[in-house]
Structure formats: structure tokens, C-alpha cells
Amino acid sequence: MTEHLSACPSIHRIGVVGCGLMGLGIIELCARAGLDVVGTVRSPSAVEQRRARLEDSLANAAHRGKITEDEVLACLERVHFTTDLLDLADRQFVIESITENRAVKTELFTELDKIVEDPEAVLASTTSSLSIMGMGRTTNRPTHVLGVHFFSPAQTVPLVELIPSLHTDASVVDRAADFLTGPLGKEVIRSTDRTGFVVNTLLVPYLLSAVRMVESGFATPEVIDQGMRRGCGHPIGPLKLVDLIGMDVIASVANALYEEFKEPLYAPPPLLRRMVEGGLLGKKSGRGFYTYT
């Protein structure tokens, strides 16, 4: 992807806060685009752990012929993991990818505003449901705060939702769009700053309906998923998709949608809430609607 680098020469130093599944995917995506990336983690032990996961993912890409062994080494040289947010001071585009919690995210944006030195730097959130306006207002640069909602795995799924708030400057939105479509090679759709944006506003009620069908005993997960795959041509069934995304993430987005719109179709079913309470989060916990080893 390095051939795209000249399309947006002004942005080449990237920061990623939070190196879970989504954050690591974004780091890999940026490194493969030839960009200099700093990823922040919570603890020293997580530094080596995240680097090992990145190495595994890049090795897998090389095994599938997506990149060469030399490119794997080059990507790893472009990435630095740290526990210190101060290491983001010189970044030009900082992407927040932490837990979907309004208070935690807004606190982080307040910190980033003080740390990132370049007044033209873009501060972006990967939130799937929370207010961009709310995060921007905790900074002294709301004109440079926006949402960039990647889809997992970020290094392979082509789409990104770009969400400005009412305060975001139009030139900043255009610069972010050029960066996403240029160096990162993504397809971009723009959404207004409302809970769920475009994709989740349509997707989440569909997923919740599938959960309700299981909850009522109307059909099993296997039958529901088979019906949507074989009957409607979906690449993955709704309940397998819930497991892949994570029960906690779906419940969080559903709660945010219901809080904003107060429509019953957005309310998380009791079964979903109980599974989250019991730690049955899907693939990442080993058990959801299906069991994983």
C-alpha cells in the first residue's frame, strides 16, 4: 500500500490509543501504508504482547501472499508501542480506539488535546455509537475532532465511516477523507453525528431481532444463521456476527441507540444483557451463541 503515500503527504505520523483487536488492525493498516505509527497500551507487559500479535498478523499476511517478508520487517520498524501518552506529542493524526465508554473517551480527548502539539493535528475516534460533538467539546480544538469508524478487521474491511460534528471544520473533514482514501486505501462514506451513524443504525436492530428469535425459542442460532446465509446471500449469519463483534459491543451500541431515539427496536433483549453479565461475549471469550476453541 506504500504506493498511495504521495496522495496525502501532509499526514505521515500516526498515533493509535488502545491496541485491542481494532487498534492493532489500524496500526497494521497504517504500517503497511508506509506510515510512522505509535501505539499506546496500558501496561509494560502489553508492549511485547501487542508487538507479538502484530508480528503474527503480518506473518499471516505474508503467508497468504499479501505482502513480502521484507515488507513485514519494514512494517515492524515503523511501529513503536509505548505506555506513555506523551509519546504522541508529535503525531499528526491520532486515532482513539479504547473501550466504548463515554466518560473514558472524553477524558482521553481532554488529555490528547494537551499532549498533541500540532494545532492542525486531527483527533479521531473509532466510536461506533457515541457523540463526536461530546468528545470535541472537551478539547480546545473541536474543529479538528471527528469520527473514523473502521470495521473489524480494520486492515482488510474496505469501508470507513467518516463523521464530523457540527464544529468540525470542512477542510479537516476533507483532509481526513483524503488520508483514508489515499494512503490507507479505504472507501469512505460520510455520516452526520448521530448515534449509530449509517451502518449500525441499520445493522443493530437486525442483530437484536435475531437475538429475540433465539430468546423466544422461535428458532436456534444455527437455523437463523443458515436462513440468512443461504436464503438471503449474507456472508455470515446474524448470530455468528454478534459473536464476532462481541456481545458487550452490541449491547453498548444498542443502549446508546435506545438512549438517543427511545425506540423499542433498539432496546437490548434480556438474553443479550444476561450473556454480557455472565461474560459470554462471543468469540473473544470462547463462548457466545456458539462455542469456540
Side-chain angles (χ1 to χ4, degrees):
M1 298 176 67
T2 53
E3 67 271 16
H4 296 296
L5 192 56
S6 61
C8 190
S10 63
I11 297 176
H12 55 272
R13 295 190 302 278
I14 312 301
V16 178
V17 183
C19 299
L21 182 63
M22 179 64 75
L24 274 179
I26 295 170
I27 287 172
E28 179 178 336
L29 174 70
C30 292
R32 288 171 63 173
L35 305 172
D36 174 43
V37 191
V38 172
T40 68
V41 296
R42 289 182 177 181
S43 64
S45 62
V47 170
E48 291 306 316
Q49 183 186 68
R50 295 304 188 268
R51 176 162 287 277
R53 290 185 181 179
L54 178 61
E55 289 175 355
D56 288 344
S57 183
L58 289 168
N60 186 47
H63 179 71
R64 292 183 285 113
K66 301 297 183 181
I67 56 176
T68 67
E69 294 293 343
D70 287 342
E71 287 173 325
V72 169
L73 295 176
C75 286
L76 291 171
E77 289 179 358
R78 297 183 189 116
V79 177
H80 170 67
F81 290 98
T82 179
T83 59
D84 193 349
L85 284 176
L86 293 176
D87 290 334
L88 301 175
D90 69 340
R91 300 293 95 179
Q92 298 164 299
F93 201 110
V94 179
I95 304 171
E96 167 274 312
S97 183
I98 63 174
T99 183
E100 193 75 347
N101 180 290
R102 180 180 287 106
V104 176
K105 285 182 185 290
T106 53
E107 181 181 353
L108 173 63
F109 271 82
T110 301
E111 290 187 67
L112 291 175
D113 182 44
K114 299 173 183 176
I115 291 170
V116 179
E117 296 172 351
D118 184 355
E120 293 302 310
V122 178
L123 304 183
S125 174
T126 63
T127 181
S128 55
S129 62
L130 300 177
S131 166
I132 305 302
M133 176 73 81
M135 284 177 261
R137 286 188 63 193
T138 66
T139 75
N140 291 312
R141 57 178 105 187
T143 56
H144 286 66
V145 176
L146 45 69
V148 285
H149 181 215
F150 290 84
F151 295 84
S152 187
Q155 63 270 48
T156 58
V157 177
L159 188 72
V160 176
E161 289 180 306
L162 181 59
I163 310 102
S165 80
L166 294 174
H167 285 314
T168 311
D169 191 271
S171 65
V172 174
V173 182
D174 290 341
R175 185 152 57 101
D178 289 344
F179 171 67
L180 292 167
T181 57
L184 300 192
K186 294 296 188 181
E187 297 175 24
V188 170
I189 59 173
R190 300 194 185 192
S191 172
T192 55
D193 182 17
R194 50 170 271 170
T195 299
F197 313 133
V198 174
V199 174
N200 278 328
T201 298
L202 292 169
L203 176 64
V204 171
Y206 160 66
L207 299 180
L208 297 180
S209 293
V211 174
R212 291 187 185 100
M213 290 180 77
V214 175
E215 184 176 55
S216 68
F218 182 83
T220 65
E222 291 80 6
V223 166
I224 295 168
D225 284 352
Q226 183 181 8
M228 297 309 295
R229 285 189 299 103
R230 306 302 290 174
C232 296
H234 290 198
I236 185 172
L239 296 163
K240 184 72 77 171
L241 182 56
V242 170
D243 274 4
L244 180 63
I245 296 171
M247 307 289 170
D248 51 341
V249 176
I250 297 298
S252 175
V253 176
N255 280 321
L257 283 163
Y258 184 72
E259 180 181 336
E260 176 136 317
F261 301 111
K262 297 297 187 291
E263 295 186 19
L265 77 164
Y266 295 128
L271 175 60
L272 181 65
R273 288 190 272 110
R274 292 297 179 273
M275 293 179 80
V276 172
E277 186 180 11
L280 306 178
L281 305 181
K283 189 172 183 179
K284 60 186 172 185
S285 70
R287 181 182 165 193
F289 289 103
Y290 298 89
T291 300
Y292 303 86
T293 57

